[in-house]
Amino acid sequence: MTDTDFQTSTPSTGGHGQVPMRCTAVAAAVINGRQVLLLKRSKGAFRGHWTLVSGRIEGEEKAWQAAVREVREETGLKPITVYTSGNTDVFYNPVDEVMEVVPIFVVRVAGQEPVELDEAHEDHSWLPLPRAIDSVAFPGQRRALESIAHFFMEKSPADFYRIDDFRP
């Protein structure tokens, strides 16, 4: 996702005296065991910052489908399980005067696959969760990783988190 991604769609609600909300992007915490994959952005306003996999929802995609596609496009990795994390990153976009809401998914992958970055990223790192939490650029992603540590790494996730429609 680039800094111009948030300038291309119209907020769904809004009016005088309020800040509308918009949800047109997703993020994915790619995990393998107790490690999280972070990507270092190579372009745009977030250049040089470490983030989760993220990107826009395209066409008629469901949010979880966009997360799976973004993982494949940005890393070349093949998801084996997809969950909703129950977390969002919510932030103010001053360019469009909207609150951006970004649902965060948890995507498990097999550890032996090599990461193949796309052109939007210059580096990647598999980090233990405490280091990933300290390294990620966005506060909402930081909070989500803290929750993911508890609900997906310290114990097995509850069945209701699993996206049943996902097929590897």
Side-chain angles (χ1 to χ4, degrees):
M1 184 166 27
T2 66
D3 57 335
T4 58
D5 285 340
F6 294 112
Q7 300 173 21
T8 59
S9 64
T10 304
S12 59
T13 61
H16 184 69
Q18 61 179 304
V19 179
M21 298 186 83
R22 169 172 72 186
C23 181
T24 59
V26 297
V30 179
I31 62 174
N32 177 28
R34 295 192 57 81
Q35 293 194 319
V36 177
L37 179 66
L38 294 186
L39 304 180
K40 190 173 187 181
R41 302 277 182 101
S42 63
K43 300 177 180 180
F46 307 129
R47 184 173 189 250
H49 293 281
W50 292 96
T51 67
L52 299 176
V53 170
S54 59
R56 312 240 333 123
I57 300 169
E58 295 180 357
E60 298 298 314
E61 279 181 323
K62 294 180 179 180
W64 69 266
Q65 292 169 324
V68 168
R69 178 184 47 76
E70 289 293 342
V71 168
R72 290 177 177 148
E73 289 178 359
E74 294 184 4
T75 70
L77 297 173
K78 296 173 187 74
I80 56 176
T81 314
V82 179
Y83 304 91
T84 178
S85 72
N87 293 276
T88 58
D89 188 3
V90 180
F91 58 93
Y92 174 71
N93 174 340
V95 173
D96 289 347
E97 181 65 21
V98 298
M99 293 299 297
E100 301 284 359
V101 179
V102 181
I104 299 174
F105 294 87
V106 176
V107 176
R108 289 193 191 273
V109 297
Q112 63 273 17
E113 294 182 63
V115 174
E116 298 173 14
L117 295 176
D118 66 356
E119 71 285 342
H121 300 92
E122 62 186 58
D123 201 1
H124 75 280
S125 187
W126 285 102
L127 297 173
L129 204 46
R131 284 197 46 219
I133 291 168
D134 288 342
S135 300
V136 75
F138 304 123
Q141 291 185 5
R142 217 174 267 135
R143 287 187 298 275
L145 287 174
E146 291 169 352
S147 172
I148 289 166
H150 179 74
F151 290 103
F152 292 88
M153 293 181 166
E154 293 171 6
K155 58 184 178 179
S156 295
D159 288 341
F160 60 79
Y161 286 113
R162 182 186 303 269
I163 304 293
D164 289 330
D165 289 343
F166 170 73
R167 301 289 180 259

